Amino acid sequence: MVEERTSRGVREGRQRIGDPIVRAVARLPVNVRTKLLIAFVGTSLLLVAVGLLGQRVLGQSNDRVASVGPLQERAVQYSQLQAQAKYVRAVLSVNVATDFSTVWPDTAPPQLKGKYSLAADLFALDAARRISSGTAEDQLLFTPPREDQAILDGIKSKADELSALLLEEVIPLYEQATISNENEEMRPHRAHAEGLASDLQQEASRLANRTTDEIDRLIARNKSSFESSRTLFIGVAAGALVLALLLGVILSWSLIGPIQQIDTRLASIASGDFSGTVEVENRDELGALGANVNRMNDELRRLYTELETASQHKSEFLANMSHELRTPLNAIIGFSQVLRDEMVGSVNEKQAEYLDDIISSGNHLLSLINDVLDLSKVEAGQVELEVHPFSLREALERGVVMVRERATEDGVRVAFAADPEVDVVDGDERRIKQVIFNLLSNAVKFTPAGGEVDVSATRANGEVRVSVADTGPGVAPEDRERIFEEFQQSESGVAQREGTGLGLALSKRYVELHGGRIWLESELGRGSTFTFALPARSSTS
């Protein structure tokens, strides 16, 4: 799954890199820092543009709201004029429609016993004067527009005319009128006054209605303008966001794509594949990095080829030399044993001691040559396992028997325990036995007198595990991987002055040839546990 996701990501990266815009950005002859700076500045400018537009929209909205206030003040003042004009007309209309002669007592003055009411006319006169004075700027508290001023002048003119009519023509008649003549002289003046009051009300209503309509139109325009501004702001903000994201995606893919390609190539190089190259079109640090990776790939390929050739030559040399050395070494060991067994004559004690040293050293050298020969065959790929079923339990028991004599001499106890499920496995019996013997002999060799070596075998999770635990000095953390390499030993191994440093390396390769693994768990001063695992034989086999 991980490999599928990785390959899918790489394919996607390559498709993105193939986009013309991404490729154009990648080919810009500027460094990565400059590209990032350009992207940052571009995004910042978009944000500033959105902010300025938002500020302008809010400012226009505030201006529109503020423009409604003066109109509302004008509407209030004009409504007051309208109400006063309506009041004047209503008073005059009541004075015409009502016969006041029937309501006055006999003791009332003659001028009050007419058909009309002097009090009503006085109220009308006062209202007309208020209308006249109410059209002045100091009373309105604002400067009316030119078109309103013309109407206000007409209202003032009619209010003044009405006031003059009432004061000079109508009210003086109350002193002359009597009930008998029913104020006949007032009728034409009153008709004129009522006409002026009607015109006054119409003009005031027209002014108030006009202002109210203007407020309604302004509110409608403000609402429409606000919706348009809001739509524009949202559109510009969305466009800026899309542009910022697009800029980020283009820039990121112009950087991520080459990084993915370089990472894939480095992973291939790490796995030993030097056949490919990385193609990075960037003209920045990533392009230089891609070129350096290609140069490193070519150099590693050359060095790897040379190393393979040298390793092959080394393996062939070691194999030939080991084979050539074994023949005379076998003769030396053979003739030394003949002399030691006194088959050709007697030898004295000193000669016998020398012959024992020769035989011991010869066997040690022969073991070293055999290990080198086996290791060279493994490295050269010339080892063919003879796989067949064999009893792992018996192989472990025989290995324990082989090292028990030396262990007893050194005062080391060797114990063996195996699960009942551990018995027959498929493998090369001779080489598995060699692995077991190497681990057992190392454990006995490094365990001090009075110590213990525990051998155990278990079966779990589809594999058989064999563990050899000792109570020796342990292995330092920095040496736990190194001791599985050729001719490498831990500090305790160097102090023993025994061995060649090939046993664990050869054991590791034999186990891996069987599809298994080997590892070490150790603690300084408390011992070590070497464990190797082999695929378990299926129960149906």
Side-chain angles (χ1 to χ4, degrees), residues 1-15 260 264:
M1 293 296 294
V2 175
E3 292 180 356
E4 291 179 0
R5 287 196 298 268
T6 303
S7 61
R8 185 167 59 251
V10 171
R11 288 196 301 270
E12 184 180 355
R14 289 177 178 174
Q15 292 175 356
Q260 288 181 338
T264 303

Side-chain angles (χ1 to χ4, degrees), residues 119-359:
D121 289 333
L122 291 176
F123 286 144
L125 175 61
D126 181 64
R129 287 175 175 176
R130 286 200 303 271
I131 292 174
S132 177
S133 62
T135 59
E137 285 190 22
D138 57 344
Q139 294 295 322
L140 293 173
L141 302 179
F142 63 85
T143 301
R146 180 178 301 176
E147 55 274 15
D148 289 357
Q149 186 62 55
I151 299 175
L152 287 171
D153 291 341
I155 292 174
K156 177 176 171 51
S157 176
K158 291 184 181 300
D160 290 341
E161 185 178 355
L162 178 59
S163 299
L165 177 63
L166 291 174
L167 182 62
E168 298 174 1
E169 302 294 339
V170 175
I171 293 177
L173 291 176
Y174 280 99
E175 297 178 355
Q176 304 172 10
T178 63
I179 296 177
S180 60
N181 62 26
E182 296 182 354
N183 304 100
E184 292 296 335
E185 298 180 5
M186 288 188 180
R187 289 183 181 178
H189 300 299
R190 190 163 297 283
H192 185 198
E194 193 171 352
L196 290 174
S198 177
D199 294 341
L200 192 63
Q201 181 181 353
Q202 290 180 359
E203 291 296 319
S205 297
R206 184 163 69 92
L207 184 63
N209 293 336
R210 176 180 176 179
T211 305
T212 302
D213 293 341
E214 187 175 355
I215 291 176
D216 293 339
R217 289 194 299 273
L218 181 59
I219 291 176
R221 286 198 306 272
N222 289 349
K223 182 178 179 181
S224 176
S225 299
F226 174 76
E227 292 177 352
S228 300
S229 300
R230 182 181 61 185
T231 303
L232 176 63
F233 177 75
I234 293 175
V236 172
L241 180 61
V242 171
L243 288 176
L245 291 176
L246 183 62
L247 180 62
V249 168
I250 293 173
L251 180 61
S252 62
W253 275 112
S254 69
L255 302 178
I256 293 174
I259 292 176
Q260 288 181 338
Q261 284 189 324
I262 293 172
D263 179 69
T264 303
R265 182 86 286 270
L266 289 175
S268 300
I269 292 174
S271 63
D273 179 14
F274 305 104
S275 59
T277 58
V278 59
E279 298 179 2
V280 178
E281 298 180 354
N282 290 47
R283 300 172 64 182
D284 50 25
E285 293 89 342
L286 293 176
L289 179 61
N292 290 332
V293 168
N294 288 333
R295 283 195 292 269
M296 180 186 69
N297 178 80
D298 296 339
E299 184 65 16
L300 288 176
R301 178 170 51 194
R302 183 184 66 81
L303 293 176
Y304 187 76
T305 303
E306 293 179 357
L307 286 174
E308 281 187 333
T309 304
S311 178
Q312 184 178 0
H313 291 166
K314 180 203 72 172
S315 299
E316 293 174 355
F317 171 76
L318 290 176
N320 293 333
M321 288 302 298
S322 299
H323 179 73
E324 295 297 330
L325 289 174
R326 288 172 67 182
T327 301
L329 188 57
N330 284 327
I332 292 173
I333 295 173
F335 286 124
S336 298
Q337 290 175 342
V338 169
L339 293 175
R340 181 66 181 81
D341 295 338
E342 298 182 353
M343 297 177 63
V344 293
S346 61
V347 293
N348 57 35
E349 184 177 352
K350 196 65 175 176
Q351 290 172 336
E353 182 181 350
Y354 289 158
L355 288 173
D356 287 339
D357 290 340
I358 293 174
I359 294 172

Side-chain angles (χ1 to χ4, degrees), residues 50-176:
V50 172
L52 292 176
L53 178 61
Q55 185 179 7
R56 180 181 177 184
V57 169
L58 291 176
Q60 291 176 345
S61 178
N62 291 335
D63 292 341
R64 288 191 292 266
V65 171
S67 64
V68 176
L71 279 177
Q72 290 177 333
E73 293 179 1
R74 287 163 53 189
V76 170
Q77 297 295 332
Y78 293 162
S79 297
Q80 291 179 357
L81 291 177
Q82 181 184 15
Q84 292 171 356
K86 186 176 181 181
Y87 173 75
V88 169
R89 184 177 182 184
V91 169
L92 292 177
S93 298
V94 169
N95 210 4
V96 172
T98 305
D99 188 0
F100 292 100
S101 61
T102 61
V103 300
W104 299 111
D106 295 338
T107 57
Q111 64 268 25
L112 296 179
K113 293 182 179 182
K115 187 176 181 180
Y116 304 108
S117 172
L118 175 62
D121 289 333
L122 291 176
F123 286 144
L125 175 61
D126 181 64
R129 287 175 175 176
R130 286 200 303 271
I131 292 174
S132 177
S133 62
T135 59
E137 285 190 22
D138 57 344
Q139 294 295 322
L140 293 173
L141 302 179
F142 63 85
T143 301
R146 180 178 301 176
E147 55 274 15
D148 289 357
Q149 186 62 55
I151 299 175
L152 287 171
D153 291 341
I155 292 174
K156 177 176 171 51
S157 176
K158 291 184 181 300
D160 290 341
E161 185 178 355
L162 178 59
S163 299
L165 177 63
L166 291 174
L167 182 62
E168 298 174 1
E169 302 294 339
V170 175
I171 293 177
L173 291 176
Y174 280 99
E175 297 178 355
Q176 304 172 10

